[in-house]
């Protein structure tokens, strides 16, 4: 059985590592602060650094917040690069820059090891339920080697392409989710201000071509005024920042992604960093001086 | 059996009226130009004016291109208002201004007749197959009276609210459809320019929260470069014009609807009025000097 490493044991990493330990994998663990005692009790081995994890484990999984954290784990002091060796694999499941990922993969491969980027969607609920969607970039043979681990953590697991393709797919996912939330917000706000019952409009639209899970789930949140997260605006701001900076690097214009980021920024300016991302509609409502469901 | 009238026998009205005649309804018909001989052969009665239709029929259906055409049919010379009387019903199935609709309904009701707005989605394919989605506004009792006719023309039939609510729902539908097409366009363009295979990205996204019929149908069109209509950009421009003018009247800001209309305008400027609305992605591609599927 492959020995695994897991670096980054936060709200996502802890349950994900837990599933692997429960499946019997020898697990070398490291995180900022203390390794959760529950994971040690279950058989995990706490290590003092990322380098120590990489020295012990065959497959090193990383699950940290953003690009600079991955960079520090890999190439910082006592980082993975100090002790990784040929035949081992780095699996970055964080959601970070696709462009930086291609660079990280090259540097790890230059050390003789392999690299897979494998960001997820599904949030902490999906992490706990082992039902994450996992979007992967890397070599086919390496993906097949890691797949049994992915299957302990997720359900919808796709190899999209070469290194970076997983991160690109995750960014594309977050663009569509944000812009569809905004679309539902504009539509329900117009309908409500025009005097129609937004709940009945949503119901009618769910029968047709405009339907989506986002109309169902987030349309209902907007009508019921339930903006408890869910997926926090601060996280989606991070993702759209990746989208916009990647687009600028590549020479693309993403006009509605830019607008959605501004709407998130407006929410954050009003203390809404921790609202569910469907709370983006509140920025549209502020501009209209009208809330969905208010009598017109 | 109610006597029906049908005014406006174009690409949509002809098959819709045909279903009602086939179901045995006595049908009084009028249109710009000649009433289609096929409808007369099936038993329809050609009339010389909208006023003549309204004098004969109990329920007068209208299916014409835009707000000014409905206004002319109702209140112009030899229009419906000249001969409609108490106990009859006007059913406007055109897609027009929600605000004008409320005014038209008041004026018809002042003459003792009833009014239902009932715009459709599904296009000429849905009209021929009698599978239209029909979004209605008006009184419950009047809706129930007209429902048997709707059931000969469509499948997903909803009374959303008072007069105008059908038109509002249709506008909301067209906002979501346009903005979701744009979202899919931004996402696939970014993925493709970053070097990922857009077909595999689409496939991966279809497994998750970003999925929609629009990702499936229009995402595929963007990848396969199939912009033969379908639903033409010129028609969606008309619908977003209704959205934006209604929003201005109501005091709302719809930033991404405005951007999508500008992208449609850019397509039209390049001769794309008759492209399928998924061709909106070509305006994004022009700004990026890159096409989905081109090698990066």
């Amino acid at each position: 059985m492959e020995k695994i490493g897991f670096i980054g044991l936060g709200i996502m990493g802890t349950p994900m590592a837990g599933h692997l330990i429960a499946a019997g994998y020898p697990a070398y663990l490291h995180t900022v602060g203390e390794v959760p005692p529950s994971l040690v009790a279950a058989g995990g081995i706490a290590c003092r650094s990322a380098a120590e994890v990489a020295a012990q484990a065959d497959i090193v999984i990383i699950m940290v917040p953003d690009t600079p954290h991955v960079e520090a784990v890999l190439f910082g002091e006592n980082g993975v690069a100090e002790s990784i060796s040929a035949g081992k694999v780095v699996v970055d499941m964080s959601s970070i820059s696709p462009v930086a990922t291609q660079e990280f993969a090259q540097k790890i491969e230059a050390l003789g090891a392999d690299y897979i980027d494998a960001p997820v969607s599904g949030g902490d609920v999906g992490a706990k339920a082992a039902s994450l969607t996992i979007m992967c970039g890397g070599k086919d043979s390496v993906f097949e080697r890691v797949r049994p681990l992915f299957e302990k953590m997720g359900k919808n697991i796709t190899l999209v392409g070469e290194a970076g393709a997983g991160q690109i797919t995750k960014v594309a996912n977050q663009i569509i989710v944000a812009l569809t939330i905004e679309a539902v917000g504009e539509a329900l706000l117009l309908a409500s201000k025009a005097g129609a019952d937004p709940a009945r409009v949503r119901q009618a639209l769910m029968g047709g071509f405009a339907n989506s899970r986002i109309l169902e789930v987030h349309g209902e949140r907007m009508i019921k005024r339930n903006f408890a997260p869910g997926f926090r605006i601060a996280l989606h701001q991070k993702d759209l920042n990746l989208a916009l900076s990647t687009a600028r690097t590549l020479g693309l214009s993403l006009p509605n992604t830019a607008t959605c980021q501004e709407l998130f920024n407006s929410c954050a300016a009003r203390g809404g960093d921790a609202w569910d991302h469907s709370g983006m509609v509140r920025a549209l409502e502020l501009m209209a001086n009208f809330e969905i469901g208010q009598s017109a």
Side-chain angles (χ1 to χ4, degrees), chain A:
Chain A
M1 208 161 199
E2 307 251 33
K3 288 181 283 182
I4 65 143
F6 210 111
I7 299 168
L9 299 164
I11 194 170
M12 297 293 293
T14 298
M16 291 164 71
H19 295 310
L20 295 172
I21 294 169
Y25 288 97
Y28 298 84
L29 311 173
H30 179 67
T31 194
V32 171
E34 191 196 10
V35 170
S38 62
L39 294 180
V40 176
I45 299 143
C47 299
R48 274 165 307 178
S49 70
E52 195 178 320
V53 170
Q56 298 293 335
D58 305 310
I59 298 178
V60 179
I61 298 171
I62 302 171
M63 191 62 173
V64 294
D66 207 345
T67 311
H69 309 95
V70 174
E71 187 165 29
V73 163
L74 290 175
F75 307 110
E77 201 179 346
N78 296 315
V80 166
E82 288 184 10
S83 58
I84 194 115
S85 52
K88 298 195 174 191
V89 187
V90 170
V91 181
D92 180 24
M93 303 189 76
S94 322
S95 291
I96 69 163
S97 161
V99 176
T101 291
Q102 290 171 336
E103 180 196 320
F104 297 165
Q106 278 173 8
K107 287 169 77 174
I108 291 296
E109 286 167 6
L111 300 170
D114 288 303
Y115 194 99
I116 294 269
D117 52 300
V120 306
S121 73
D124 58 317
V125 174
K128 282 178 196 144
S131 65
L132 294 167
T133 296
I134 308 179
M135 296 154 267
C136 304
K139 294 199 196 80
D140 200 47
S141 59
V142 184
F143 173 73
E144 290 304 331
R145 178 174 169 194
V146 182
R147 191 206 282 270
L149 306 185
F150 290 147
E151 287 173 349
K152 297 295 175 198
M153 298 182 278
K155 277 189 173 147
N156 202 323
I157 302 152
T158 316
L159 179 66
V160 180
E162 298 296 302
Q167 298 294 354
I168 289 161
T169 304
K170 175 71 190 282
V171 169
N173 185 79
Q174 296 304 82
I175 288 174
I176 294 179
V177 170
L179 274 58
T180 309
I181 287 173
E182 206 274 346
V184 169
E186 291 198 14
L188 293 183
L189 188 61
L190 179 76
S192 184
K193 185 77 196 278
D197 176 351
R200 292 173 81 171
V201 170
R202 169 179 164 277
Q203 201 65 44
L205 296 182
M206 279 170 56
F209 199 62
N211 194 30
S212 63
R213 283 283 292 153
I214 290 168
L215 176 65
E216 292 173 27
V217 173
H218 291 311
E220 186 172 42
R221 278 175 169 276
M222 292 176 199
I223 292 164
K224 296 200 167 161
R225 314 307 293 167
N226 171 18
F227 301 118
F231 188 78
R232 278 176 289 135
I233 280 177
L235 289 169
H236 217 144
Q237 284 181 289
K238 186 203 104 180
D239 292 335
L240 294 194
N241 184 49
L242 285 178
L244 293 169
S245 60
T246 304
R248 194 168 59 176
T249 303
L250 297 174
L252 294 176
S253 172
L254 302 180
N256 286 0
T257 301
T259 300
C260 286
Q261 182 74 311
E262 293 305 320
L263 295 172
F264 279 144
N265 290 348
S266 169
C267 292
R270 296 159 72 199
D273 316 52
W275 297 344
D276 182 71
H277 52 169
S278 57
M280 191 208 281
V281 73
R282 283 183 159 174
L284 294 171
E285 292 173 337
L286 183 70
M287 291 195 287
N289 191 30
F290 182 83
E291 279 185 11
I292 288 173
Q294 187 181 333
S295 55

